[in-house]
Amino acid sequence: MTDLHRLSVRELTEGLAAAKFSSRELTEHYLKRIEKIDARVQSYVTVTAEQALAEADAADALRKAGGATVLTGVPIAHKDIFCTHGIKTTAGSKMLDNFISPYDATVVAKGKVAGLVTLGKVNMDEFAMGSTSESSYFGATANPWALDHVPGGSSGGSAAAVAADLAPFATGTDTGGSIRQPASFCGLTGLKPTYGRVSRFGMIAYASSLDQGGPMARSAEDCAYLMNVMAGHDAKDSTSVEKNVDDYVANLNGTSVKGLRIGIPKQYFNTAGLDADVKARVEESLKKLEEMGATLVEIDLNMTESYVPTYYLIAPAEASSNLSRFDGVRYGYRAENPVDLMDLYKRSRSEGFGKEVQQRILIGTYALSAGYYDAYYVKAQKVRRLIQQDFLKAFETVDVIAAPSAPTTAYRIGANLSQVEMYLGDIYTIAVNLAGLPAINAPVGFDKDSLPVGLQLIGNYWSESQLLSVVHQYQQATDWHTKRAAIAEENA
Ligand code: GLN
């Protein structure tokens, strides 16, 4: 079959179960596509062809022996922030260019138990800091819809790989939008789960109170399959929650759009900088949901102006602490010929970290330093609580909250936005992380340059099933999620 990459995850599971194709055929098909197409997209940092084929053969053998489960033999790409035993894990940084993890992240280990075949590791902004994937030490990744544009970030490699049909689905992480914004820029569906739903063990830390892994795929249905693998309590992550996990696939029709109350925050749709096409497409998608029976309710989210300053204080503060472990001593990049220990620390960190990462470490260290801690960090934590309360108040009257995922479509590669412009691009996503809420991006059309636009739906705590279900029903009634970039239509 030449068009295996066009099958949805459900179709892949059905085809494998019916022996229409083997995991080896499927894996070879994807590896061939990566070889032919990824030179133009640059989504993969590492392709693990040999290991993938061995995993595929093992999956086929397991299936023959009657031991297969639903996803046995389905390929996946992992964001290069998840530690993989025996395979390089770089976090997009020179600091970890040669780092081979001695263990698997829990998400990766769960994928193995589910029988997923790892095609490789995909590109990202350095240590997940950024919105374009350009800060990667390994260079920029292209947006499959327009190769001179960015795929978004930080999970840009995950988004580009799926949008170019170089993987059926991929893992991502979201600290301030890094699943939802690249999903939006690449026309995909991406879910940022409630904080604590997915284990962070073995996921290289950026800002630990905000980081959360989640699925990126073409549809809510495909995301549900991966969410079934990723979600769940993990004794190795003290912030992961002991709470029953839904069967996200079985629940895809569990929420009715009829009667669903969708909150429309006034402040979100009057933001300066919200692109007219993005606004129009998002409003059209809301109109469609209204036709399907939802009620649109205008709401207030009064803390909107505090989102960017609060996030860009807390995230760098936590990053400065997390990244202090990279000192050139035990693993990672080490400067050559240090004259003494201080020189080793200094030069390893100045040579190993890129500019954006260094800036954030400096800002974060400053905010946490004695004398400034109360004025900055403690204050930001208080504002964070107010932002959370703002959402909780809204959820007293609505079931979900609608927003764009990003104020614009994808930027050009090398557009060199100022830091302020770049940070303002996170306005619709970061508050969700500050509050620890789940949210999903769904593709809802294109702008005048044929670049994808995304709708974001924010849910109350633990409402992943509801979000996936609402988007699934929207996707049953529309076909935006089935649109493919020209490069994805190419055969290998
Ligand atoms: N763009 C945001 C940042 O740079 C979010 C990144 C993320 O979610 N990892 O912090």
Side-chain angles (χ1 to χ4, degrees), residues 254-264 286 289-290 292-297 395 397-402 455 457-459 463 465-467 469-471 473-474:
T255 303
S256 177
V257 173
K258 228 184 209 88
L260 187 80
R261 296 165 305 170
I262 304 179
I264 314 290
L286 292 170
L289 285 163
E290 202 176 20
M292 292 167 65
T295 316
L296 307 185
V297 186
F395 284 124
T397 51
V398 298
D399 303 305
V400 295
I401 295 171
L455 162 74
L457 292 176
I458 304 165
S463 66
S465 273
Q466 180 191 38
L467 293 175
S469 178
V470 170
V471 170
Q473 286 167 75
Y474 173 81

PDB file of all heavy atoms in Angstrom, residues 254-264 286 289-290 292-297 395 397-402 455 457-459 463 465-467 469-471 473-474:
ATOM      1  N   GLY A 254     -19.136  11.058  24.414  1.00  0.00           N
ATOM      2  CA  GLY A 254     -19.707  11.144  25.762  1.00  0.00           C
ATOM      3  C   GLY A 254     -20.293  12.489  26.135  1.00  0.00           C
ATOM      4  O   GLY A 254     -21.084  12.599  27.072  1.00  0.00           O
ATOM      5  N   THR A 255     -19.883  13.555  25.455  1.00  0.00           N
ATOM      6  CA  THR A 255     -20.400  14.895  25.780  1.00  0.00           C
ATOM      7  C   THR A 255     -21.240  15.389  24.616  1.00  0.00           C
ATOM      8  O   THR A 255     -20.825  15.272  23.473  1.00  0.00           O
ATOM      9  CB  THR A 255     -19.239  15.886  25.991  1.00  0.00           C
ATOM     10  OG1 THR A 255     -18.400  15.378  27.021  1.00  0.00           O
ATOM     11  CG2 THR A 255     -19.747  17.258  26.405  1.00  0.00           C
ATOM     12  N   SER A 256     -22.378  15.933  24.929  1.00  0.00           N
ATOM     13  CA  SER A 256     -23.226  16.453  23.862  1.00  0.00           C
ATOM     14  C   SER A 256     -22.921  17.934  23.633  1.00  0.00           C
ATOM     15  O   SER A 256     -22.789  18.703  24.575  1.00  0.00           O
ATOM     16  CB  SER A 256     -24.689  16.281  24.239  1.00  0.00           C
ATOM     17  OG  SER A 256     -25.486  16.841  23.233  1.00  0.00           O
ATOM     18  N   VAL A 257     -22.777  18.309  22.360  1.00  0.00           N
ATOM     19  CA  VAL A 257     -22.591  19.733  22.050  1.00  0.00           C
ATOM     20  C   VAL A 257     -23.919  20.465  22.287  1.00  0.00           C
ATOM     21  O   VAL A 257     -23.944  21.636  22.618  1.00  0.00           O
ATOM     22  CB  VAL A 257     -22.089  19.915  20.592  1.00  0.00           C
ATOM     23  CG1 VAL A 257     -22.047  21.387  20.213  1.00  0.00           C
ATOM     24  CG2 VAL A 257     -20.705  19.288  20.435  1.00  0.00           C
ATOM     25  N   LYS A 258     -25.014  19.730  22.138  1.00  0.00           N
ATOM     26  CA  LYS A 258     -26.337  20.320  22.415  1.00  0.00           C
ATOM     27  C   LYS A 258     -26.402  20.732  23.882  1.00  0.00           C
ATOM     28  O   LYS A 258     -26.169  19.923  24.767  1.00  0.00           O
ATOM     29  CB  LYS A 258     -27.418  19.271  22.152  1.00  0.00           C
ATOM     30  CG  LYS A 258     -28.513  19.808  21.318  1.00  0.00           C
ATOM     31  CD  LYS A 258     -29.660  18.872  21.085  1.00  0.00           C
ATOM     32  CE  LYS A 258     -30.294  19.184  19.745  1.00  0.00           C
ATOM     33  NZ  LYS A 258     -29.695  18.493  18.643  1.00  0.00           N
ATOM     34  N   GLY A 259     -26.638  22.012  24.092  1.00  0.00           N
ATOM     35  CA  GLY A 259     -26.757  22.490  25.467  1.00  0.00           C
ATOM     36  C   GLY A 259     -25.427  22.873  26.104  1.00  0.00           C
ATOM     37  O   GLY A 259     -25.393  23.372  27.218  1.00  0.00           O
ATOM     38  N   LEU A 260     -24.323  22.621  25.404  1.00  0.00           N
ATOM     39  CA  LEU A 260     -23.008  22.984  25.939  1.00  0.00           C
ATOM     40  C   LEU A 260     -22.903  24.509  26.026  1.00  0.00           C
ATOM     41  O   LEU A 260     -23.179  25.210  25.056  1.00  0.00           O
ATOM     42  CB  LEU A 260     -21.911  22.438  25.016  1.00  0.00           C
ATOM     43  CG  LEU A 260     -20.476  22.577  25.502  1.00  0.00           C
ATOM     44  CD1 LEU A 260     -20.140  21.486  26.511  1.00  0.00           C
ATOM     45  CD2 LEU A 260     -19.496  22.499  24.309  1.00  0.00           C
ATOM     46  N   ARG A 261     -22.493  24.994  27.199  1.00  0.00           N
ATOM     47  CA  ARG A 261     -22.346  26.454  27.354  1.00  0.00           C
ATOM     48  C   ARG A 261     -20.891  26.838  27.114  1.00  0.00           C
ATOM     49  O   ARG A 261     -20.010  26.417  27.865  1.00  0.00           O
ATOM     50  CB  ARG A 261     -22.792  26.883  28.746  1.00  0.00           C
ATOM     51  CG  ARG A 261     -24.289  26.644  29.022  1.00  0.00           C
ATOM     52  CD  ARG A 261     -24.599  26.727  30.494  1.00  0.00           C
ATOM     53  NE  ARG A 261     -23.755  25.790  31.252  1.00  0.00           N
ATOM     54  CZ  ARG A 261     -23.670  25.764  32.579  1.00  0.00           C
ATOM     55  NH1 ARG A 261     -24.331  26.633  33.309  1.00  0.00           N
ATOM     56  NH2 ARG A 261     -22.885  24.886  33.182  1.00  0.00           N
ATOM     57  N   ILE A 262     -20.665  27.586  26.038  1.00  0.00           N
ATOM     58  CA  ILE A 262     -19.295  27.976  25.681  1.00  0.00           C
ATOM     59  C   ILE A 262     -19.066  29.435  26.055  1.00  0.00           C
ATOM     60  O   ILE A 262     -19.758  30.330  25.561  1.00  0.00           O
ATOM     61  CB  ILE A 262     -19.033  27.781  24.167  1.00  0.00           C
ATOM     62  CG1 ILE A 262     -19.325  26.327  23.758  1.00  0.00           C
ATOM     63  CG2 ILE A 262     -17.601  28.186  23.814  1.00  0.00           C
ATOM     64  CD1 ILE A 262     -19.108  26.056  22.274  1.00  0.00           C
ATOM     65  N   GLY A 263     -18.130  29.682  26.938  1.00  0.00           N
ATOM     66  CA  GLY A 263     -17.814  31.046  27.361  1.00  0.00           C
ATOM     67  C   GLY A 263     -16.920  31.738  26.341  1.00  0.00           C
ATOM     68  O   GLY A 263     -15.947  31.162  25.864  1.00  0.00           O
ATOM     69  N   ILE A 264     -17.287  32.973  26.012  1.00  0.00           N
ATOM     70  CA  ILE A 264     -16.484  33.768  25.077  1.00  0.00           C
ATOM     71  C   ILE A 264     -15.926  34.950  25.871  1.00  0.00           C
ATOM     72  O   ILE A 264     -16.655  35.909  26.150  1.00  0.00           O
ATOM     73  CB  ILE A 264     -17.359  34.315  23.914  1.00  0.00           C
ATOM     74  CG1 ILE A 264     -18.276  33.223  23.338  1.00  0.00           C
ATOM     75  CG2 ILE A 264     -16.491  34.960  22.843  1.00  0.00           C
ATOM     76  CD1 ILE A 264     -17.563  32.148  22.569  1.00  0.00           C
ATOM     77  N   LEU A 286     -17.138  28.917  16.056  1.00  0.00           N
ATOM     78  CA  LEU A 286     -18.068  29.030  17.187  1.00  0.00           C
ATOM     79  C   LEU A 286     -19.513  29.055  16.688  1.00  0.00           C
ATOM     80  O   LEU A 286     -20.413  28.501  17.317  1.00  0.00           O
ATOM     81  CB  LEU A 286     -17.740  30.281  18.006  1.00  0.00           C
ATOM     82  CG  LEU A 286     -16.395  30.202  18.736  1.00  0.00           C
ATOM     83  CD1 LEU A 286     -16.007  31.546  19.338  1.00  0.00           C
ATOM     84  CD2 LEU A 286     -16.453  29.133  19.832  1.00  0.00           C
ATOM     85  N   LEU A 289     -20.465  25.551  16.071  1.00  0.00           N
ATOM     86  CA  LEU A 289     -20.790  24.864  17.330  1.00  0.00           C
ATOM     87  C   LEU A 289     -22.169  25.304  17.830  1.00  0.00           C
ATOM     88  O   LEU A 289     -22.929  24.507  18.388  1.00  0.00           O
ATOM     89  CB  LEU A 289     -19.708  25.130  18.381  1.00  0.00           C
ATOM     90  CG  LEU A 289     -18.400  24.360  18.150  1.00  0.00           C
ATOM     91  CD1 LEU A 289     -17.260  24.964  18.957  1.00  0.00           C
ATOM     92  CD2 LEU A 289     -18.580  22.874  18.520  1.00  0.00           C
ATOM     93  N   GLU A 290     -22.486  26.576  17.573  1.00  0.00           N
ATOM     94  CA  GLU A 290     -23.803  27.088  17.960  1.00  0.00           C
ATOM     95  C   GLU A 290     -24.891  26.372  17.148  1.00  0.00           C
ATOM     96  O   GLU A 290     -25.907  25.924  17.698  1.00  0.00           O
ATOM     97  CB  GLU A 290     -23.851  28.603  17.725  1.00  0.00           C
ATOM     98  CG  GLU A 290     -24.902  29.320  18.539  1.00  0.00           C
ATOM     99  CD  GLU A 290     -24.844  30.837  18.331  1.00  0.00           C
ATOM    100  OE1 GLU A 290     -24.268  31.312  17.314  1.00  0.00           O
ATOM    101  OE2 GLU A 290     -25.382  31.551  19.199  1.00  0.00           O
ATOM    102  N   MET A 292     -24.707  23.506  16.054  1.00  0.00           N
ATOM    103  CA  MET A 292     -24.784  22.125  16.545  1.00  0.00           C
ATOM    104  C   MET A 292     -25.467  22.044  17.914  1.00  0.00           C
ATOM    105  O   MET A 292     -25.579  20.960  18.489  1.00  0.00           O
ATOM    106  CB  MET A 292     -23.368  21.522  16.637  1.00  0.00           C
ATOM    107  CG  MET A 292     -22.707  21.310  15.273  1.00  0.00           C
ATOM    108  SD  MET A 292     -20.920  20.971  15.418  1.00  0.00           S
ATOM    109  CE  MET A 292     -20.950  19.392  16.271  1.00  0.00           C
ATOM    110  N   GLY A 293     -25.853  23.194  18.445  1.00  0.00           N
ATOM    111  CA  GLY A 293     -26.644  23.162  19.679  1.00  0.00           C
ATOM    112  C   GLY A 293     -26.000  23.809  20.891  1.00  0.00           C
ATOM    113  O   GLY A 293     -26.587  23.857  21.966  1.00  0.00           O
ATOM    114  N   ALA A 294     -24.773  24.321  20.743  1.00  0.00           N
ATOM    115  CA  ALA A 294     -24.112  24.968  21.878  1.00  0.00           C
ATOM    116  C   ALA A 294     -24.666  26.378  22.095  1.00  0.00           C
ATOM    117  O   ALA A 294     -25.218  26.981  21.171  1.00  0.00           O
ATOM    118  CB  ALA A 294     -22.611  25.042  21.635  1.00  0.00           C
ATOM    119  N   THR A 295     -24.532  26.869  23.304  1.00  0.00           N
ATOM    120  CA  THR A 295     -24.928  28.243  23.608  1.00  0.00           C
ATOM    121  C   THR A 295     -23.669  29.057  23.861  1.00  0.00           C
ATOM    122  O   THR A 295     -22.811  28.641  24.652  1.00  0.00           O
ATOM    123  CB  THR A 295     -25.773  28.297  24.906  1.00  0.00           C
ATOM    124  OG1 THR A 295     -26.713  27.224  24.851  1.00  0.00           O
ATOM    125  CG2 THR A 295     -26.492  29.609  25.065  1.00  0.00           C
ATOM    126  N   LEU A 296     -23.544  30.200  23.204  1.00  0.00           N
ATOM    127  CA  LEU A 296     -22.377  31.058  23.417  1.00  0.00           C
ATOM    128  C   LEU A 296     -22.711  32.096  24.483  1.00  0.00           C
ATOM    129  O   LEU A 296     -23.727  32.778  24.399  1.00  0.00           O
ATOM    130  CB  LEU A 296     -21.971  31.748  22.114  1.00  0.00           C
ATOM    131  CG  LEU A 296     -21.753  30.827  20.900  1.00  0.00           C
ATOM    132  CD1 LEU A 296     -21.235  31.625  19.701  1.00  0.00           C
ATOM    133  CD2 LEU A 296     -20.785  29.697  21.233  1.00  0.00           C
ATOM    134  N   VAL A 297     -21.859  32.182  25.484  1.00  0.00           N
ATOM    135  CA  VAL A 297     -22.111  33.079  26.617  1.00  0.00           C
ATOM    136  C   VAL A 297     -20.926  34.022  26.758  1.00  0.00           C
ATOM    137  O   VAL A 297     -19.787  33.561  26.926  1.00  0.00           O
ATOM    138  CB  VAL A 297     -22.238  32.272  27.939  1.00  0.00           C
ATOM    139  CG1 VAL A 297     -22.645  33.176  29.096  1.00  0.00           C
ATOM    140  CG2 VAL A 297     -23.195  31.105  27.776  1.00  0.00           C
ATOM    141  N   PHE A 395     -16.115  29.177  35.193  1.00  0.00           N
ATOM    142  CA  PHE A 395     -16.658  27.815  35.065  1.00  0.00           C
ATOM    143  C   PHE A 395     -17.906  27.583  35.938  1.00  0.00           C
ATOM    144  O   PHE A 395     -18.516  26.530  35.879  1.00  0.00           O
ATOM    145  CB  PHE A 395     -15.579  26.761  35.371  1.00  0.00           C
ATOM    146  CG  PHE A 395     -14.593  26.586  34.240  1.00  0.00           C
ATOM    147  CD1 PHE A 395     -13.228  26.742  34.448  1.00  0.00           C
ATOM    148  CD2 PHE A 395     -15.043  26.270  32.958  1.00  0.00           C
ATOM    149  CE1 PHE A 395     -12.325  26.593  33.404  1.00  0.00           C
ATOM    150  CE2 PHE A 395     -14.151  26.116  31.906  1.00  0.00           C
ATOM    151  CZ  PHE A 395     -12.786  26.277  32.123  1.00  0.00           C
ATOM    152  N   THR A 397     -20.462  29.361  35.366  1.00  0.00           N
ATOM    153  CA  THR A 397     -21.573  29.629  34.437  1.00  0.00           C
ATOM    154  C   THR A 397     -21.395  28.998  33.059  1.00  0.00           C
ATOM    155  O   THR A 397     -22.339  28.968  32.276  1.00  0.00           O
ATOM    156  CB  THR A 397     -21.780  31.152  34.243  1.00  0.00           C
ATOM    157  OG1 THR A 397     -20.527  31.731  33.914  1.00  0.00           O
ATOM    158  CG2 THR A 397     -22.328  31.801  35.493  1.00  0.00           C
ATOM    159  N   VAL A 398     -20.188  28.539  32.736  1.00  0.00           N
ATOM    160  CA  VAL A 398     -19.992  27.915  31.413  1.00  0.00           C
ATOM    161  C   VAL A 398     -19.290  26.567  31.574  1.00  0.00           C
ATOM    162  O   VAL A 398     -18.666  26.299  32.593  1.00  0.00           O
ATOM    163  CB  VAL A 398     -19.172  28.821  30.456  1.00  0.00           C
ATOM    164  CG1 VAL A 398     -19.895  30.133  30.200  1.00  0.00           C
ATOM    165  CG2 VAL A 398     -17.763  29.069  30.987  1.00  0.00           C
ATOM    166  N   ASP A 399     -19.408  25.727  30.518  1.00  0.00           N
ATOM    167  CA  ASP A 399     -18.770  24.408  30.551  1.00  0.00           C
ATOM    168  C   ASP A 399     -17.354  24.451  29.998  1.00  0.00           C
ATOM    169  O   ASP A 399     -16.447  23.791  30.515  1.00  0.00           O
ATOM    170  CB  ASP A 399     -19.596  23.415  29.725  1.00  0.00           C
ATOM    171  CG  ASP A 399     -21.025  23.324  30.231  1.00  0.00           C
ATOM    172  OD1 ASP A 399     -21.198  23.055  31.437  1.00  0.00           O
ATOM    173  OD2 ASP A 399     -21.962  23.539  29.436  1.00  0.00           O
ATOM    174  N   VAL A 400     -17.172  25.195  28.921  1.00  0.00           N
ATOM    175  CA  VAL A 400     -15.830  25.368  28.344  1.00  0.00           C
ATOM    176  C   VAL A 400     -15.661  26.827  27.952  1.00  0.00           C
ATOM    177  O   VAL A 400     -16.644  27.565  27.843  1.00  0.00           O
ATOM    178  CB  VAL A 400     -15.605  24.471  27.088  1.00  0.00           C
ATOM    179  CG1 VAL A 400     -15.644  23.003  27.432  1.00  0.00           C
ATOM    180  CG2 VAL A 400     -16.602  24.799  25.995  1.00  0.00           C
ATOM    181  N   ILE A 401     -14.410  27.227  27.745  1.00  0.00           N
ATOM    182  CA  ILE A 401     -14.110  28.600  27.346  1.00  0.00           C
ATOM    183  C   ILE A 401     -13.423  28.557  25.992  1.00  0.00           C
ATOM    184  O   ILE A 401     -12.516  27.739  25.776  1.00  0.00           O
ATOM    185  CB  ILE A 401     -13.209  29.285  28.399  1.00  0.00           C
ATOM    186  CG1 ILE A 401     -13.976  29.416  29.719  1.00  0.00           C
ATOM    187  CG2 ILE A 401     -12.722  30.647  27.904  1.00  0.00           C
ATOM    188  CD1 ILE A 401     -13.111  29.880  30.889  1.00  0.00           C
ATOM    189  N   ALA A 402     -13.856  29.412  25.070  1.00  0.00           N
ATOM    190  CA  ALA A 402     -13.279  29.413  23.725  1.00  0.00           C
ATOM    191  C   ALA A 402     -12.323  30.580  23.552  1.00  0.00           C
ATOM    192  O   ALA A 402     -12.535  31.662  24.105  1.00  0.00           O
ATOM    193  CB  ALA A 402     -14.377  29.508  22.676  1.00  0.00           C
ATOM    194  N   LEU A 455      -8.696  26.880  16.814  1.00  0.00           N
ATOM    195  CA  LEU A 455      -9.600  27.244  17.908  1.00  0.00           C
ATOM    196  C   LEU A 455      -9.109  26.545  19.168  1.00  0.00           C
ATOM    197  O   LEU A 455      -8.769  25.359  19.130  1.00  0.00           O
ATOM    198  CB  LEU A 455     -11.026  26.755  17.602  1.00  0.00           C
ATOM    199  CG  LEU A 455     -11.994  26.664  18.797  1.00  0.00           C
ATOM    200  CD1 LEU A 455     -12.454  28.058  19.245  1.00  0.00           C
ATOM    201  CD2 LEU A 455     -13.223  25.810  18.447  1.00  0.00           C
ATOM    202  N   LEU A 457     -10.170  25.363  22.999  1.00  0.00           N
ATOM    203  CA  LEU A 457     -11.228  25.192  24.004  1.00  0.00           C
ATOM    204  C   LEU A 457     -10.560  24.848  25.325  1.00  0.00           C
ATOM    205  O   LEU A 457      -9.757  23.907  25.400  1.00  0.00           O
ATOM    206  CB  LEU A 457     -12.202  24.082  23.601  1.00  0.00           C
ATOM    207  CG  LEU A 457     -13.076  24.369  22.367  1.00  0.00           C
ATOM    208  CD1 LEU A 457     -13.929  23.152  22.032  1.00  0.00           C
ATOM    209  CD2 LEU A 457     -13.963  25.599  22.585  1.00  0.00           C
ATOM    210  N   ILE A 458     -10.876  25.622  26.358  1.00  0.00           N
ATOM    211  CA  ILE A 458     -10.299  25.428  27.690  1.00  0.00           C
ATOM    212  C   ILE A 458     -11.366  24.783  28.567  1.00  0.00           C
ATOM    213  O   ILE A 458     -12.514  25.242  28.571  1.00  0.00           O
ATOM    214  CB  ILE A 458      -9.885  26.796  28.285  1.00  0.00           C
ATOM    215  CG1 ILE A 458      -8.918  27.532  27.338  1.00  0.00           C
ATOM    216  CG2 ILE A 458      -9.276  26.618  29.683  1.00  0.00           C
ATOM    217  CD1 ILE A 458      -8.747  29.013  27.652  1.00  0.00           C
ATOM    218  N   GLY A 459     -11.003  23.750  29.285  1.00  0.00           N
ATOM    219  CA  GLY A 459     -11.985  23.064  30.135  1.00  0.00           C
ATOM    220  C   GLY A 459     -11.657  23.208  31.604  1.00  0.00           C
ATOM    221  O   GLY A 459     -10.582  23.697  31.975  1.00  0.00           O
ATOM    222  N   SER A 463     -11.208  17.626  32.633  1.00  0.00           N
ATOM    223  CA  SER A 463     -12.267  17.518  31.618  1.00  0.00           C
ATOM    224  C   SER A 463     -11.719  17.112  30.250  1.00  0.00           C
ATOM    225  O   SER A 463     -12.302  17.444  29.222  1.00  0.00           O
ATOM    226  CB  SER A 463     -13.018  18.841  31.508  1.00  0.00           C
ATOM    227  OG  SER A 463     -12.155  19.841  30.998  1.00  0.00           O
ATOM    228  N   SER A 465     -11.764  14.358  28.662  1.00  0.00           N
ATOM    229  CA  SER A 465     -12.750  13.592  27.874  1.00  0.00           C
ATOM    230  C   SER A 465     -13.746  14.519  27.197  1.00  0.00           C
ATOM    231  O   SER A 465     -14.098  14.341  26.034  1.00  0.00           O
ATOM    232  CB  SER A 465     -13.536  12.637  28.775  1.00  0.00           C
ATOM    233  OG  SER A 465     -12.858  11.424  28.890  1.00  0.00           O
ATOM    234  N   GLN A 466     -14.186  15.503  27.967  1.00  0.00           N
ATOM    235  CA  GLN A 466     -15.175  16.442  27.444  1.00  0.00           C
ATOM    236  C   GLN A 466     -14.585  17.242  26.270  1.00  0.00           C
ATOM    237  O   GLN A 466     -15.220  17.394  25.223  1.00  0.00           O
ATOM    238  CB  GLN A 466     -15.605  17.397  28.570  1.00  0.00           C
ATOM    239  CG  GLN A 466     -16.626  18.424  28.165  1.00  0.00           C
ATOM    240  CD  GLN A 466     -16.803  19.505  29.234  1.00  0.00           C
ATOM    241  OE1 GLN A 466     -15.835  19.934  29.869  1.00  0.00           O
ATOM    242  NE2 GLN A 466     -18.034  19.924  29.443  1.00  0.00           N
ATOM    243  N   LEU A 467     -13.352  17.719  26.434  1.00  0.00           N
ATOM    244  CA  LEU A 467     -12.726  18.515  25.373  1.00  0.00           C
ATOM    245  C   LEU A 467     -12.543  17.674  24.115  1.00  0.00           C
ATOM    246  O   LEU A 467     -12.843  18.120  23.004  1.00  0.00           O
ATOM    247  CB  LEU A 467     -11.368  19.051  25.849  1.00  0.00           C
ATOM    248  CG  LEU A 467     -11.414  20.094  26.974  1.00  0.00           C
ATOM    249  CD1 LEU A 467      -9.995  20.447  27.431  1.00  0.00           C
ATOM    250  CD2 LEU A 467     -12.159  21.349  26.527  1.00  0.00           C
ATOM    251  N   SER A 469     -14.181  15.076  23.271  1.00  0.00           N
ATOM    252  CA  SER A 469     -15.497  14.728  22.748  1.00  0.00           C
ATOM    253  C   SER A 469     -16.117  15.885  21.961  1.00  0.00           C
ATOM    254  O   SER A 469     -16.659  15.689  20.866  1.00  0.00           O
ATOM    255  CB  SER A 469     -16.399  14.323  23.917  1.00  0.00           C
ATOM    256  OG  SER A 469     -17.686  14.035  23.473  1.00  0.00           O
ATOM    257  N   VAL A 470     -16.015  17.089  22.496  1.00  0.00           N
ATOM    258  CA  VAL A 470     -16.583  18.248  21.791  1.00  0.00           C
ATOM    259  C   VAL A 470     -15.870  18.435  20.454  1.00  0.00           C
ATOM    260  O   VAL A 470     -16.506  18.612  19.406  1.00  0.00           O
ATOM    261  CB  VAL A 470     -16.475  19.526  22.661  1.00  0.00           C
ATOM    262  CG1 VAL A 470     -16.831  20.762  21.846  1.00  0.00           C
ATOM    263  CG2 VAL A 470     -17.355  19.405  23.897  1.00  0.00           C
ATOM    264  N   VAL A 471     -14.543  18.351  20.470  1.00  0.00           N
ATOM    265  CA  VAL A 471     -13.797  18.533  19.219  1.00  0.00           C
ATOM    266  C   VAL A 471     -14.096  17.377  18.258  1.00  0.00           C
ATOM    267  O   VAL A 471     -14.248  17.569  17.050  1.00  0.00           O
ATOM    268  CB  VAL A 471     -12.277  18.667  19.484  1.00  0.00           C
ATOM    269  CG1 VAL A 471     -11.492  18.620  18.176  1.00  0.00           C
ATOM    270  CG2 VAL A 471     -11.987  19.961  20.230  1.00  0.00           C
ATOM    271  N   GLN A 473     -16.857  15.768  17.923  1.00  0.00           N
ATOM    272  CA  GLN A 473     -18.150  15.998  17.269  1.00  0.00           C
ATOM    273  C   GLN A 473     -18.075  17.127  16.252  1.00  0.00           C
ATOM    274  O   GLN A 473     -18.680  17.054  15.191  1.00  0.00           O
ATOM    275  CB  GLN A 473     -19.209  16.240  18.321  1.00  0.00           C
ATOM    276  CG  GLN A 473     -19.534  14.912  18.986  1.00  0.00           C
ATOM    277  CD  GLN A 473     -20.322  15.087  20.231  1.00  0.00           C
ATOM    278  OE1 GLN A 473     -21.510  15.368  20.152  1.00  0.00           O
ATOM    279  NE2 GLN A 473     -19.670  14.956  21.361  1.00  0.00           N
ATOM    280  N   TYR A 474     -17.310  18.158  16.589  1.00  0.00           N
ATOM    281  CA  TYR A 474     -17.085  19.230  15.609  1.00  0.00           C
ATOM    282  C   TYR A 474     -16.420  18.647  14.359  1.00  0.00           C
ATOM    283  O   TYR A 474     -16.772  18.988  13.232  1.00  0.00           O
ATOM    284  CB  TYR A 474     -16.198  20.317  16.246  1.00  0.00           C
ATOM    285  CG  TYR A 474     -15.763  21.401  15.282  1.00  0.00           C
ATOM    286  CD1 TYR A 474     -16.611  22.461  14.959  1.00  0.00           C
ATOM    287  CD2 TYR A 474     -14.504  21.353  14.682  1.00  0.00           C
ATOM    288  CE1 TYR A 474     -16.216  23.443  14.066  1.00  0.00           C
ATOM    289  CE2 TYR A 474     -14.097  22.332  13.792  1.00  0.00           C
ATOM    290  CZ  TYR A 474     -14.959  23.375  13.487  1.00  0.00           C
ATOM    291  OH  TYR A 474     -14.557  24.342  12.597  1.00  0.00           O
TER     292      TYR A 474
END
